[in-house]
């Protein structure tokens, strides 16, 4: 009797805790409706399936009315007809499958408490549905697959739409993105800045610094994949000329080459043990056919000593790729030693009482200080597991 009563009480406690967590999450974020850019279809600026591109827009107020923050969604890439067809009928290939409401939190929050430097700005979430980090532009459409490779056109159409909404009069602009969207922010940064000569423009790449590293077996898996992305989407003409004049177009999807010639101030927010890169660059399925790395990739705390040693080597490669950019006083860096991927869009990692810290500084403060030239921030964390402020990802 006592035992069953304790079980019931524990179940109620779990329910109460779950409700409290949900209420806290609702207090930290809110929903913004989708806008479909129907006019872009006539320009051929469409998602993989031919549907119109989309974005979510929350208008600024007060002192932020003429300031704009653009945040580009991530979602990897597709490198051939087969993988693009797999995306075609998902939110990453069609606006038909996108959620009608998008959660704005972290860097997109409108609450001063959670986003003190950008809360009053015009904030835009650009949805990702082309599979090329907005670099593709192939006129022909294969009648068999009916796939459209038009990412660069989508990007231009959305930027033109935002300019018409008032961005052309902007005083301050931050172009940002997560993962493949973070890569987009790097690739389009200089050309975007050229459209706004009267504004202060900077760019933030969150988890977008993908490195050209070999996999566990020494194979150039990610290098081959990026080359295929460029070939499939016809991306070469839309990559930074400062890069393609020196390197092959396939290499110019990698920031370690593409960002070398950048003129616009750039902030790199990245985990040195980026979860996506560990899972897909260091130890992709093709390099681990027996699943030896399965548990380690799901939870860094389950890595063996030899696997951790391999990951420390990957961190070394990551930092070496960073150093290839050379030094720049205008660059910001927050490179922590967490097992994470994308840290600006979630409140728990952007700014909260338990958020990740580097040198006692939150990501939100580091980015804000850098953008407004209050204080330089170029910090690289000590190796795992020294950082106790991390929110390490655990995958099912």
């Amino acid at each position: 009797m006592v035992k069953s009563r304790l079980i019931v009480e524990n179940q109620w406690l779990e329910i109460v805790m779950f409700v409290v967590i949900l209420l806290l999450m609702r207090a930290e974020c809110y929903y913004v409706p989708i806008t479909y850019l129907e006019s872009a279809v006539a320009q051929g600026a469409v998602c993989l399936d031919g549907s119109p591109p989309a974005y979510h827009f929350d208008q600024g107020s007060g002192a932020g009315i003429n300031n704009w923050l653009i945040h580009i969604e991530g979602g990897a890439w597709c490198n051939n007809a087969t993988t693009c067809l797999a995306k075609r009928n998902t939110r990453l290939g069609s606006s038909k499958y996108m959620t009608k409401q998008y959660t704005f939190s972290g860097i997109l929050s409108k609450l001063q408490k959670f986003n003190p430097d950008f809360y009053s700005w015009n904030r835009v979430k650009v949805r990702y549905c082309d599979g090329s980090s907005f670099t593709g532009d192939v006129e022909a459409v294969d009648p068999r697959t009916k796939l459209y490779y038009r990412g660069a056109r989508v990007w231009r159409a959305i930027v033109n739409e935002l300019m018409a909404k008032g961005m052309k009069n902007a005083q301050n602009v931050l172009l940002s993105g997560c993962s493949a969207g973070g890569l987009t922010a790097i690739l389009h940064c200089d050309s975007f800045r050229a459209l706004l000569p009267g504004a202060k423009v900077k760019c933030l790449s969150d988890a977008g610094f993908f490195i050209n590293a070999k996999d566990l077996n020494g194979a150039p898996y990610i290098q081959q994949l990026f080359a295929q992305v460029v070939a499939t989407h016809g991306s070469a003409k839309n990559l930074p000329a400062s890069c393609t004049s020196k390197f092959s177009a396939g290499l110019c999807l990698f920031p370690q080459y593409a960002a070398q010639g950048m003129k616009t101030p750039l902030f790199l927010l990245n985990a040195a043990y980026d979860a996506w890169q560990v899972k897909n660059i260091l130890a992709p399925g093709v390099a681990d056919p027996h699943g030896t790395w399965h548990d380690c990739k799901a939870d860094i705390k389950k890595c063996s000593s030899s696997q951790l040693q391999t990951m420390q080597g990957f961190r070394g490669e990551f930092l070496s790729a960073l150093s290839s950019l050379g030094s720049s006083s205008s660059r910001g860096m927050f490179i922590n030693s967490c097992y994470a991927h994308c840290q600006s869009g979630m409140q728990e990692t952007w700014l909260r009482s338990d958020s990740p810290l580097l040198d006692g500084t939150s990501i939100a403060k580091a980015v804000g200080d850098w953008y407004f030239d209050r204080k330089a921030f170029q910090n690289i964390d000590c190796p795992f597991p020294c950082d106790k402020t991390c929110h390490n990802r655990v995958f099912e």
Side-chain angles (χ1 to χ4, degrees):
M1 181 74 177
V2 173
K3 185 176 179 180
S4 61
R5 181 180 173 184
L6 284 173
I7 291 173
V8 171
E9 288 179 350
N10 285 336
Q11 289 174 336
W12 271 108
L13 183 59
E14 288 175 3
I15 292 171
V16 169
M17 289 299 294
F18 180 70
V19 171
V20 169
I21 291 170
L22 284 178
L23 290 173
L24 287 172
M25 288 177 65
R26 289 193 65 178
E28 292 176 356
C29 62
Y30 60 103
Y31 300 96
V32 175
I34 198 168
T35 298
Y36 298 102
L37 190 50
E38 301 283 357
S39 61
V41 176
Q43 306 163 37
V46 293
C47 299
L48 284 170
D49 72 332
S51 60
Y55 64 93
H56 303 254
F57 172 57
D58 196 29
Q59 190 168 9
S61 61
I65 196 70
N66 290 319
N67 300 333
W68 290 72
L69 188 146
I70 316 298
H71 197 69
I72 308 160
E73 184 178 27
W77 311 270
C78 56
N79 59 318
N80 53 41
T82 300
T83 55
C84 289
L85 279 171
K87 283 182 178 288
R88 190 179 188 275
N89 294 327
T90 73
R91 64 176 178 84
L92 294 174
S94 171
S95 58
K96 297 175 185 176
Y97 298 93
M98 294 175 183
T99 54
K100 302 297 187 290
Q101 304 280 331
Y102 198 92
T103 304
F104 271 33
S105 62
I107 197 171
L108 290 171
S109 177
K110 67 177 178 180
L111 301 176
Q112 185 175 9
K113 174 184 177 182
F114 295 124
N115 191 24
D117 283 309
F118 308 109
Y119 73 97
S120 64
W121 290 28
N122 296 284
R123 283 151 291 106
V124 182
K125 183 74 175 188
V126 177
R127 302 305 297 268
Y128 181 45
C129 65
D130 71 279
S132 74
S133 284
F134 296 96
T135 61
D137 194 352
V138 177
E139 180 64 32
V141 179
D142 189 328
R144 295 170 302 166
T145 62
K146 295 183 173 59
L147 287 169
Y148 294 79
Y149 302 118
R150 304 283 180 77
R153 293 194 201 185
V154 168
W155 176 247
R156 288 192 292 269
I158 288 178
V159 169
N160 289 338
E161 165 88 347
L162 299 179
M163 295 286 269
K165 281 185 172 289
M167 191 170 69
K168 64 182 178 182
N169 301 317
Q171 295 172 346
N172 296 289
V173 183
L174 179 60
L175 177 64
S176 65
C178 149
S179 191
L183 177 57
T184 302
I186 292 174
L187 298 176
H188 287 298
C189 184
D190 281 348
S191 59
F192 177 78
R193 184 190 190 187
L195 298 173
L196 296 159
K200 175 179 181 176
V201 178
K202 295 188 178 185
C203 300
L204 162 66
S205 173
D206 177 8
F209 200 86
F210 299 94
I211 67 169
N212 184 16
K214 289 182 169 59
D215 66 21
L216 294 169
N217 298 328
Y221 175 77
I222 191 66
Q223 182 178 318
Q224 292 171 353
L225 187 143
F226 272 15
Q228 291 163 0
V229 170
V230 169
T232 298
H233 291 266
S235 300
K237 57 184 173 292
N238 295 308
L239 296 170
S242 61
C243 182
T244 54
S245 63
K246 298 177 182 178
F247 303 100
S248 69
L251 289 180
C252 289
L253 270 189
F254 290 103
Q256 66 197 81
Y257 310 110
Q260 286 184 19
M262 276 184 63
K263 305 298 183 187
T264 309
L266 172 67
F267 194 105
L268 295 170
L269 164 60
N270 230 102
Y273 308 88
D274 183 280
W276 191 94
Q277 296 195 53
V278 168
K279 294 170 70 176
N280 296 280
I281 296 180
L282 175 64
V286 67
D288 183 35
H290 302 296
T292 306
W293 276 71
H294 178 272
D295 291 348
C296 176
K297 291 192 293 184
D299 184 350
I300 194 171
K301 293 179 181 178
K302 294 182 179 178
C303 295
S304 67
S305 57
S306 63
Q307 287 171 331
L308 277 177
Q309 188 175 356
T310 299
M311 289 177 68
Q312 299 295 11
F314 185 80
R315 172 182 179 268
E317 290 188 76
F318 182 90
L319 298 182
S320 177
L322 269 182
S323 67
S324 70
L325 300 183
S327 61
S328 172
S329 60
S330 69
R331 188 178 304 128
M333 287 196 304
F334 191 109
I335 311 298
N336 58 11
S337 290
C338 306
Y339 190 61
H341 184 66
C342 292
Q343 300 178 86
S344 63
M346 295 185 297
Q347 200 60 56
E348 65 182 82
T349 45
W350 175 249
L351 180 61
R352 212 170 62 179
S353 59
D354 60 343
S355 294
L357 302 174
L358 258 184
D359 194 25
T361 304
S362 68
I363 295 170
K365 180 165 175 50
V367 172
D369 284 349
W370 163 80
Y371 183 87
F372 289 105
D373 305 308
R374 294 189 297 247
K375 183 181 178 182
F377 197 91
Q378 296 186 344
N379 285 38
I380 297 174
D381 211 350
C382 49
F384 178 88
C386 71
D387 191 338
K388 305 307 179 186
T389 69
C390 283
H391 288 225
N392 291 319
R393 291 287 303 275
V394 176
F395 300 88
E396 296 298 329

